[in-house]
Structure formats: C-alpha cells, structure tokens
Amino acid sequence: MEPAPRFSFGVIADVQHADAEDGHDFWGCRRRYYRHSLRLLRAAVEAWAAERPPPAFVLQLGDCIDGVNARSGAAEAEAALGRVLEALGRLRVPVHHVWGNHELYNFCRARLAQSGLRSRPPPSAGPPAAPPGDCQAYHFCPAPRFRFVLLDGYELSPLGRDADSPRHRAALRLLREKNRNADLNSPAGLEEPQFVEFNGGFSQAQLDWFNDVLKFSDDNQEKVVVMGHLHDGGYCLDSHGVHHLTLEGVIETPPESNAFGTIYVYDDKMIQNSKNYVSVRNKT
C-alpha cells in the first residue's frame, strides 16, 4: 500500500483577469477570456477548499490581472486586483504569489510591494530569507526536508520602475544592446530572442542568493521546488535530472474547461492531478 503524501499544494497561473470583452494574445493568435478567467479562479478556489485534507498552500504563478486594465486607468487596475485577491482570500491556507509582466504593466514595484501580492513570510531558520534591495524572491519550508523558492523574474526589467531610476535605465540599456528592433517586444531577427521587453531577468545578487539557498538545501538534504513564470503547458527532464513543468494559463482556457491543479508531494515524487514553471531538484 502506497504511503500518504507528505503534503499537497495548489497551483494556478496566468489568470489575467480584466472586466473586458474577450481579446487575443500579443500575436493575435490565441483567444483570451478576460472576464471568465475570474469565474475559473473562483471554481479553482472552491475545489481546493473542498479537498480533504486541504492543500498546505496555493501557488499563484503570476499575471493574475491583465495589462488591458491599465488602459482604463489606475482605478480599473485596482478593482481587478481586488477581485482576484478577494477570490483567493476565501482560502484558509497561505497563498504565495509570483509577479509577472502583467502586474508590472498595471503597477509599479513599490505599489505591488504594499499589496496583497507581497506574500513573503517572516524570516525563519536557514539561508538568508531574501536577496538585498527590492527583489521579491524568497523561500519557505512547508515541511521538513522540503524548500520552495519563488524567484523574482522581473528584477532586471524596465517594467514597473520609474523611468528616471538607475534600475530602469540599466535594464533599458541592456535591452537595447541586445534588441535593435523599434518595437522592443519583437524578437524578429534576434540571435537571443529572450531579449524582449515583456521578459525580465535576474541580478547577480539574486543568483548569488539562490546559489546560497541551494547550497544550504544540499547540505541539509532538502528537496527544492523553484517557482517562476511562463505560459504554455509542457514538461521535460533536463540532463542534470531536474524536472521542469509548465502550467497552462487560465486566461486562454475556454469557459467549459479549467486550468489549475493540486500537486501531491511524496518523499520520492510529486504527482499532479491536472495544469509557469515548476523546477524540481530531487536529491534522492
């Protein structure tokens, strides 16, 4: 008889809610269901609340509201964020948030750091709780020998920063060195197509901090799950034995379906019951 899981957690990504008619992605190819995404989020919350035992926590993996809110002004962006946080607030377990580009289309980093999307828990025993500065990366330990790391994938980005700030100027300078297109969101002709404005990057300080967390976990025989941000569904196992799982975005999920899941964690595996990025470093 297989043992019970050590714990479980919920996952959901790219809700991208807005009180707007359906639209399409940046390339005009995929339909986006801005209003209905909130209904799907509420359905996910109801499903997690009904689970017994309930998930230990939920991971919201970024882009919980869409950039179209910003076109209608700050009040609409605040209202959209309020509706998403109200839905997630019905859960009786912690919710951990990753910031994506769409949050930064609507708000500056300082505002997000004062919002319900700042989910960093109080410092605990172990490696440094977070990198220096305004970086929003952090880690937490939901059970012995397990550590979760949330990275700040837009620490290096012009998005969400004041145009006169050194961080904004440095990010824009790097972007323009790598991307000569008039439209900085276009990867056309680039040898390194990741250098577009809707992407972001990590500072060396964040990478050094991440390395310290991984070293601590290695020394203490912990398994590490790393959270970031992407879109399409997919899976691969890389040459280092690291598992990579990409979750499907709610925003492009038709109303008759949904895109969320619960992951059950065992000592030697994780099992997903149903759908940006989960990296598992299994030290067995």
Side-chain angles (χ1 to χ4, degrees):
M1 181 177 180
E2 185 171 80
R6 294 280 301 277
F7 62 93
S8 66
F9 61 94
V11 287
I12 195 164
D14 295 290
V15 176
Q16 293 184 223
H17 168 60
D19 184 13
E21 299 298 325
D22 293 352
H24 292 85
D25 65 359
F26 179 78
W27 310 108
C29 300
R30 296 182 179 179
R31 191 172 185 84
R32 292 189 164 178
Y33 305 90
Y34 296 116
R35 288 198 181 102
H36 198 77
S37 67
L38 184 64
R39 299 189 187 101
L40 298 187
L41 173 62
R42 288 168 175 163
V45 167
E46 290 177 6
W48 288 321
E51 289 192 18
R52 294 294 180 271
F57 56 91
V58 167
L59 296 172
Q60 187 279 114
L61 297 177
D63 286 357
C64 67
I65 60 173
D66 197 88
V68 301
N69 290 290
R71 301 172 195 167
S72 301
E76 187 54 45
E78 292 283 0
L81 179 59
R83 289 188 290 269
V84 167
L85 291 175
E86 188 275 334
L88 290 168
R90 297 175 186 175
L91 291 165
R92 296 187 177 183
V93 300
V95 180
H96 295 275
H97 299 280
V98 173
W99 295 0
N101 54 312
H102 282 266
E103 282 87 0
L104 295 168
Y105 293 149
N106 286 280
F107 302 107
C108 67
R109 292 177 65 89
R111 170 66 186 94
L112 290 176
Q114 299 299 319
S115 76
L117 294 181
R118 188 179 190 274
S119 52
R120 182 188 298 167
S124 59
D134 71 347
C135 181
Q136 294 301 309
Y138 67 88
H139 61 86
F140 66 98
C141 189
R145 301 287 179 89
F146 288 91
R147 191 167 301 278
F148 282 64
V149 181
L150 278 71
L151 297 176
D152 185 348
Y154 284 87
E155 184 191 11
L156 290 187
S157 170
L159 300 178
R161 296 194 182 277
D162 187 272
D164 294 328
S165 70
R167 287 287 191 95
H168 181 277
R169 291 197 299 267
L172 199 58
R173 182 167 56 250
L174 174 62
L175 189 57
R176 285 176 171 156
E177 287 173 1
K178 299 288 188 176
N179 186 337
R180 301 292 184 176
N181 293 320
D183 179 3
L184 291 176
N185 276 320
S186 172
L190 301 186
E191 293 183 5
E192 299 174 284
Q194 69 271 27
F195 283 97
V196 289
E197 192 169 15
F198 60 78
N199 279 340
F202 308 106
S203 70
Q204 189 59 51
Q206 184 177 178
L207 294 175
D208 291 343
W209 167 84
F210 184 34
N211 186 65
D212 289 343
V213 173
L214 294 178
K215 185 177 185 304
F216 177 91
S217 293
D218 279 347
D219 292 344
N220 290 275
Q221 298 182 318
E222 293 179 337
K223 298 178 175 70
V224 178
V225 180
V226 183
M227 315 311 302
H229 178 82
L230 197 57
H231 241 259
D232 293 337
Y235 167 82
C236 78
L237 176 65
D238 70 22
S239 59
H240 298 284
V242 178
H243 303 265
H244 300 264
L245 175 65
T246 300
L247 306 181
E248 296 178 10
V250 172
I251 184 61
E252 292 166 2
T253 300
E256 66 274 10
S257 185
N258 210 329
F260 71 95
T262 302
I263 294 180
Y264 300 89
V265 181
Y266 298 79
D267 284 324
D268 61 346
K269 64 186 176 221
M270 298 199 309
I271 297 177
Q272 185 185 8
N273 75 346
S274 63
K275 308 177 178 187
N276 110 15
Y277 171 90
V278 182
S279 171
V280 184
R281 208 163 176 263
N282 197 339
K283 298 297 291 183
T284 58

